[in-house]
Each structure stands twice: as C-alpha cells, then as structure tokens.
Amino acid sequence: MVSPPLLSLHNLSAAVHAPDGRRRSILCDATVEIMQGEVVAIIGPSGGGKSTLLKAVLGLIRFTGGSMVFEGHPIHRPLDGAHQRLRAAAEAVFQNPLGALNPHARLRSAIEEPLRARGIARIERASRAETVAARMGLDAEILDRRPAAVSLGQAQRVCIARALAPRPDLLVLDEPLSALDALVAAEVAALLTEVIAEACPTVLFVSHDMRLVRRLATRVVVIDEGRIVEDAPAAQLLSAPQSGAARALVECDARRRGAFAAARALPAAETVA
C-alpha cells in the first residue's frame, strides 16, 4: 500500500504589493506532493518564487489561492488549526543565521528553544542540545557564548542544530549556505548531509548552490516566474533537464565545475630564486 504524501500543495498562489501599489503574483497555481522521507530541492532563477513557496508552507506569508494538506488534514487558509499542526511538526533554517538568533541569549538556550516549546523536560533538553550540537561539530564551551562571539559558520551550525533537536517531521531550509564563504559552506554541507541521512526527516529546501542540490536532493522542483515548470527525480533532472530554467542552472554549474577542475590541474608556479 502506497503511503499518502506528508505534504501536498494544490494550486497554491501568493501575491505581494509592489512599490507602485499594485498586487504582483509571485507564486501561481503551484501543485506538488512531498512524500515522507523525501529530500526535495526547489531551484530556479532569482525572484522566481522559491522562498515564497517555503514561506507560504510555514505560514509566514498568506497564500491567496489554493490549499495545502498536511498528514491528511486540509489547510484552507493560513494559520488555521491544520496549519498550526504543520508548524508544530516543522522546523526551519534561514539564510542569515545571526538574524535568526536572539543576540542576548546563549547558544545553548537557542538550541533548547524548540524543545521548551514542546514541553520537553530540562534535563532532556540539555542532553539533546549537547548531542545535536556535537553532531554539528560544535564544542560544548561554544554553547555558553552569545551569537556575536562566534563565527557566521558556527552560528549557522547552531541554527541547524536547533532545527534538528526536536526531531521534526519536516525540515525546511531556505538557502542555508548562502551567507557562508566557500570553505565553511562545504564543511556545513557535509555535516548537513550526514545528519539528514541519520535522522531521515522529510526535507524541503531552496538553494542556488547546485553542489548542495546534488548532495542532498532525491527530487528537484523547478520554479520560474512563480510557476512550477519541472518536477523530477534528482538524478534524472540533473542529467537531462527539460525546462529552460533548469538547463540554464545545470549548464552554469557544469561550467563552474569544469573551470574548477581546470584550475586544479594547472601546474604549480615555479619558484624564482
């Protein structure tokens, strides 16, 4: 028997007020199903509606049309009872880690925050926070610091640890590596890949970094100008993209990887005596 989707979006639409006062559609009739245990990447050109879809799922913006179904419960409007159920089962990591952390709270408290919200006892909160922090490569002494006292990469590891600590059914990632330099981003991507493989949550993530898409995604959804233009298994889409938006991203990534490989193959410069 085939299990029903964890999350279904049906003809979901969203709009914002443009500077001229007009309403501008930024998500148009998006329909997609996300199965339990899938890792779904959302890619596409900048401004195409990728982050808008995540925000609509999380209830951070109002969707203006369509509906969602989470664990079989229809969501007809933002933040109704069924939407609250979704939000209680989901955790998110956003682009700017310092903006996501309370500057006055110690990092230990930040990781424990979603556990407190779920009524988990203090001793278990502390134990789980230290365990997940260590898994993200954070030393115990760092947890007693405040955000301003750690690097951007460490702050994002804290945000990921905070999202993983309550063992969510749905993990939502919105460009989780975009604020990090290349070396730190690679380290965090490796850790993120490992902990997702271990914890096996359902993951919905947006990324411009095709390296992360190749590492994590089991399926890829392409959004262009607010519309879903392609939806396919990751291996299939990354090897033979059908939409123009996906082809442009895959070809750009191939050129970048080719340039990187060529640079690594260059002989080292001779030392001048």
Side-chain angles (χ1 to χ4, degrees):
M1 181 177 178
V2 178
S3 299
L6 177 73
L7 175 65
S8 298
L9 313 181
H10 298 288
N11 299 321
L12 207 67
S13 298
V16 296
H17 286 286
D20 61 6
R22 298 180 182 179
R23 288 180 66 81
R24 182 173 68 88
S25 295
I26 49 178
L27 192 64
C28 305
D29 297 326
T31 296
V32 63
E33 292 186 339
I34 299 161
M35 308 302 293
Q36 182 74 45
E38 276 195 303
V39 181
V40 179
I42 304 174
I43 66 172
S46 296
K50 304 181 300 298
S51 292
T52 298
L53 187 146
L54 294 192
K55 290 175 182 177
V57 167
L58 294 170
L60 300 178
I61 64 169
R62 298 184 65 86
F63 53 89
T64 54
S67 64
M68 293 188 279
V69 177
F70 180 69
E71 293 185 329
H73 298 277
I75 299 169
H76 298 293
R77 62 184 184 279
L79 302 182
D80 63 12
H83 208 168
Q84 296 287 9
R85 180 194 297 265
L86 187 162
R87 290 189 55 162
E91 290 293 334
V93 178
F94 298 101
Q95 299 180 33
N96 179 11
L98 294 180
L101 296 170
N102 181 344
H104 307 295
R106 299 188 188 277
L107 299 176
R108 182 186 305 276
S109 177
I111 296 175
E112 291 184 11
E113 179 185 347
L115 302 177
R116 283 193 295 273
R118 288 165 170 79
I120 294 174
R122 180 177 60 82
I123 293 176
E124 185 179 350
R125 288 201 309 264
S127 173
R128 208 188 286 189
E130 290 186 1
T131 298
V132 73
R135 189 65 193 85
M136 286 304 301
L138 295 165
D139 296 333
E141 60 90 12
I142 287 178
L143 300 185
D144 292 320
R145 300 181 191 177
R146 291 183 171 83
V150 300
S151 70
L152 203 59
Q154 289 169 326
Q156 190 64 306
R157 292 181 195 214
V158 168
C159 291
I160 295 170
R162 176 175 63 181
L164 291 170
R167 300 164 187 160
D169 294 325
L170 177 65
L171 179 63
V172 177
L173 309 171
D174 187 4
E175 295 282 7
L177 306 181
S178 64
L180 311 179
D181 65 48
L183 180 59
V184 174
E187 293 173 351
V188 174
L191 286 170
L192 189 56
T193 303
E194 292 175 5
V195 297
I196 287 176
E198 292 169 2
C200 297
T202 303
V203 182
L204 181 62
F205 76 101
V206 163
S207 182
H208 281 100
D209 189 337
M210 296 300 289
R211 292 168 297 182
L212 187 64
V213 174
R214 290 198 310 272
R215 293 187 74 146
L216 288 184
T218 58
R219 207 169 105 230
V220 178
V221 173
V222 185
I223 296 183
D224 187 14
E225 296 185 348
R227 299 183 182 278
I228 293 177
V229 295
E230 194 166 355
D231 181 348
Q236 175 184 323
L237 187 142
L238 295 174
S239 62
Q242 299 301 303
S243 64
R247 280 197 301 273
L249 291 169
V250 170
E251 289 169 2
C252 180
D253 180 58
R255 288 194 298 270
R256 181 197 62 78
R257 285 188 288 144
F260 180 72
R264 293 191 63 181
L266 288 174
E270 294 182 2
T271 301
V272 178

